[in-house]
Amino acid sequence: MFNISIFGGGYIGTVSGGCLSKLGNKVTIVEKDRKKIELLNRGIAPIVEPGIDGLIKTAYMELGLKATSDAETAVLNSDVSFVCVGTPSTIEGELCIDYIFNVMKNIGSALKKKDTFHVIAVRSTIVPGTIQKCIQIIEQISKKNMGVDFSVCSNPEFLREGSAIDDYFNPPYTLIGAYDAKAANTLKIIYSRINADIHIVEVREAELIKYINNAFHALKVGFANEVGLICKKLGIDSHKLMALFCLDKKLNLSDSYLKPGFAFGGSCLSKDLRALTYISKKQNLKTPILNNIIPSNENIISHVFSMIEATKNSNVGIIGLAFKKGTDDLRESPLVSLTERLIGKGYEVKVYDPSVSEAKLFGANKEYAISHIKHLEKCLVDEDELDKFIEFADTLVIGSSYQTLSKYSNGLFSQSKQVIDLVRYNNSIVSNGNYTGIAW
């Protein structure tokens, strides 16, 4: 059992207080609002949420839950402080984290008088870099040292209104962004009775994840709504259609398409997306999410072109040409678009793709390649020419990863070449020196 102080008696703080009490901890909620303090100290929840009234009543009557405005006493009498205050948006859209910093000032003042190690876990949604600023505030005020006298962690919550209590005990996972093992282990013990895997990650990863989650949730809602508009115009039941869509957990509801990297391509995605947006246009519907997917994809290609430009090298070697490794399908391949743009701007370009050769191409695939890359045969190199290919390229663009290249690793990553990696050729490497990953 831990003595826990929770800063913030709002939605997250109240739910956390009740749930942490149920897990056997002694909880004090620190709140400025006198009305909330009064309610909590009578065993009444200051929020509306299924199951919260009984949870708070039991926590107050049987488990010692209480509320106070005395931050110093709460910190001095607790081992861990959970920060659950609001982080509202400013008019410009910037996150307001003044409440977070005010809490840190209060904790810092209290830690002046405390001799034991104290863990601060920020559950509020914060931008990367906030925890580092919190540490600076506490060290400056308390004159104590991070990692020695206290530690600040990022511990984002994944609670949905309407199912918050169940979400607390059954989250998708528990995330702890910590700088030191002592703080991480303390939180691991607290969450050991929660039905979820615990992941210890870098602090900045934990700070950013909630924004990624919510942006994607918003995107999904917007996507489904635009699909609904099209379906209604066509006389199709959108709920039945999306129920079918959600049955596919191999591709539609998976991580298959959620790995940051280069642009999408191939004969299906772009073609079908254009067809869907054409249907929308014919029906006089506004579908801005769908309409902007292809421009977003083209922006990624432009971004990589700018990365190549920045190397100021005129000889460019591209590894991979087909839109998918192990195929010869060049239709709408973003690597073809990139190669075409480079040649058009006067770059000398050589391409290695063991699945593609000018002699093997035929039909629509050949027509597409020749229409986009003039003198394609002069660009393609065979496996027996790899030594010359690597020697030629001052800038190497890794668009696909091939086993045949493994013996050339020293040449690929020599200090004399600029390497731009679009596929994460080696997971252990991040942008550094002459190596640049597109998103890592």
Side-chain angles (χ1 to χ4, degrees):
M1 183 188 81
F2 287 89
N3 292 321
I4 293 174
S5 54
I6 295 178
F7 283 80
Y11 199 87
I12 303 303
T14 299
V15 172
S16 298
C19 292
L20 286 167
S21 294
K22 188 173 181 178
L23 289 172
N25 302 288
K26 187 175 180 181
V27 176
T28 299
I29 295 178
V30 182
E31 173 59 54
K32 287 184 176 181
D33 191 309
R34 291 185 178 181
K35 182 65 176 179
K36 289 183 181 179
I37 294 171
E38 179 187 342
L39 289 171
L40 286 165
N41 283 333
R42 290 164 49 202
I44 300 172
I47 64 169
V48 177
E49 170 69 22
I52 194 67
D53 292 333
L55 186 68
I56 292 299
K57 183 176 181 179
T58 300
Y60 169 73
M61 298 290 292
E62 302 176 15
L63 304 173
L65 175 73
K66 63 181 180 180
T68 182
S69 60
D70 187 348
E72 180 177 291
T73 301
V75 171
L76 293 176
N77 291 326
S78 61
D79 313 296
V80 180
S81 293
F82 286 95
V83 180
C84 303
V85 296
T87 53
S89 292
T90 64
I91 295 175
E92 294 79 15
E94 183 184 7
L95 196 72
C96 178
I97 47 180
D98 292 347
Y99 298 128
I100 298 282
F101 292 155
N102 286 337
V103 168
M104 296 304 155
K105 291 174 184 177
N106 289 332
I107 291 175
S109 295
L111 291 183
K112 284 183 180 179
K113 303 178 181 179
K114 190 169 185 179
D115 296 325
T116 56
F117 190 81
H118 195 80
V119 177
I120 301 105
V122 180
R123 303 226 73 189
S124 305
T125 305
I126 52 177
V127 296
T130 303
I131 294 296
Q132 194 58 49
K133 291 179 182 177
C134 291
I135 292 168
Q136 293 170 0
I137 290 170
I138 293 175
E139 284 189 329
Q140 183 178 12
I141 293 175
S142 69
K143 308 304 179 185
K144 299 291 181 72
N145 296 315
M146 166 69 184
V148 177
D149 305 299
F150 71 94
S151 185
V152 186
C153 304
S154 176
N155 177 216
E157 49 80 22
F158 304 100
L159 308 182
R160 297 167 296 173
E161 295 188 23
S163 60
I165 295 172
D166 182 68
D167 287 346
Y168 193 98
F169 291 115
N170 299 283
Y173 47 67
T174 296
L175 211 58
I176 300 169
Y179 286 115
D180 60 274
K182 186 173 182 179
N185 289 333
T186 297
L187 294 179
K188 282 178 70 176
I189 295 170
I190 290 174
Y191 289 120
S192 61
R193 292 174 60 191
I194 296 291
N195 182 32
D197 293 334
I198 298 174
H199 297 275
I200 309 298
V201 302
E202 293 184 8
V203 170
R204 288 168 64 84
E205 292 175 359
E207 288 176 309
L208 186 59
I209 188 65
K210 189 69 180 291
Y211 293 99
I212 307 307
N213 285 7
N214 284 342
F216 188 50
H217 297 331
L219 176 63
K220 287 182 286 187
V221 172
F223 171 79
N225 288 340
E226 289 189 3
V227 168
L229 294 176
I230 294 171
C231 284
K232 185 171 182 179
K233 282 285 188 178
L234 299 177
I236 296 169
D237 188 325
S238 62
H239 283 211
K240 287 184 178 179
L241 185 70
M242 292 306 287
L244 284 173
F245 172 85
C246 293
L247 289 176
D248 182 355
K249 293 179 172 58
K250 184 175 182 180
L251 296 177
N252 291 348
L253 303 180
S254 72
D255 60 357
S256 297
Y257 294 104
L258 292 173
K259 294 180 175 66
F262 197 35
F264 63 74
S267 61
C268 294
L269 269 62
S270 297
K271 173 180 69 70
D272 291 349
L273 187 55
R274 279 194 292 266
L276 187 59
T277 53
Y278 180 78
I279 291 171
S280 171
K281 184 178 180 181
K282 289 285 286 183
Q283 298 295 333
N284 294 316
L285 294 171
K286 292 182 179 179
T287 51
I289 291 175
L290 295 173
N291 292 346
N292 281 288
I293 294 174
I294 287 179
S296 173
N297 199 53
E298 291 171 347
N299 179 63
I300 295 296
I301 299 173
S302 297
H303 177 73
V304 173
F305 180 81
S306 297
M307 292 170 70
I308 296 170
E309 274 191 317
T311 68
K312 301 187 183 305
N313 295 325
S314 58
N315 291 350
V316 179
I318 297 180
I319 300 171
L321 190 62
F323 95 93
K324 184 178 288 187
K325 174 183 170 183
T327 77
D328 65 348
D329 194 348
L330 302 180
R331 291 172 294 175
E332 307 231 26
S333 168
L335 291 166
V336 170
S337 297
L338 180 64
T339 302
E340 178 185 21
R341 189 177 301 189
L342 288 166
I343 293 172
K345 290 293 184 179
Y347 286 84
E348 290 292 326
V349 181
K350 297 292 183 183
V351 178
Y352 171 70
D353 189 324
S355 300
V356 177
S357 70
E358 201 273 336
K360 292 179 182 178
L361 294 175
F362 58 89
N365 206 13
K366 183 173 184 177
E367 290 177 13
Y368 183 87
I370 293 175
S371 68
H372 285 75
I373 305 177
K374 293 180 180 179
H375 309 297
L376 176 64
E377 70 280 359
K378 294 182 180 179
C379 296
L380 292 171
V381 300
D382 294 326
E383 188 173 336
D384 59 4
E385 300 175 291
L386 276 175
D387 284 312
K388 293 181 179 179
F389 168 76
I390 293 172
E391 184 180 349
F392 156 82
D394 296 316
T395 295
L396 271 168
V397 179
I398 304 178
S400 287
S401 176
Y402 298 106
Q403 188 63 36
T404 51
L405 290 167
S406 59
K407 63 181 178 180
Y408 296 94
S409 291
N410 290 336
L412 288 175
F413 296 101
S414 70
Q415 291 302 313
S416 64
K417 298 185 185 298
Q418 294 291 322
V419 178
I420 297 174
D421 187 357
L422 311 182
V423 296
R424 198 146 209 185
Y425 177 80
N426 185 327
N427 284 332
S428 65
I429 304 176
V430 297
S431 294
N432 185 30
N434 68 323
Y435 170 87
T436 305
I438 186 173
W440 47 86

